[in-house]
Amino acid sequence: MANLTPTPNTPGLHVSKPSPSAPAQGSAVCHCGASATATGDAQVQALVEGYTANHGPAHNKKQGRR
C-alpha cells in the first residue's frame, strides 16, 4: 500500500483507525503551508472539521473555485 500521509507536495487529509479499540490518528497538510496531527477519536474529529472548514476545500470556496 502506498504511503497516504499528506506532505507539502501532496497536501490533504489522512485518517486511520486500525481497529475499533485503537485510537484514531490523523494528519493534515494544506497547500497554504498549514499542517497538523491528532491522536484520539475526538481530536481527530476536530482536526477533520477544522481542516474542512479552514483549509483544503475551504480555500477553493473562498477563491470562487470548486
Side-chain angles (χ1 to χ4, degrees):
M1 178 180 269
N3 183 356
L4 300 176
T5 303
T7 67
N9 291 331
T10 56
L13 179 65
H14 180 252
V15 175
S16 164
K17 185 164 174 88
S19 74
S21 60
Q25 295 183 340
S27 59
V29 177
C30 184
H31 61 86
C32 74
S35 64
T37 60
T39 300
D41 296 0
Q43 292 83 0
V44 171
Q45 181 177 355
L47 171 72
V48 171
E49 290 170 356
Y51 180 82
T52 304
N54 301 302
H55 297 285
H59 284 300
N60 291 337
K61 289 178 185 175
K62 290 177 185 173
Q63 296 173 1
R65 297 184 209 150
R66 293 179 186 223

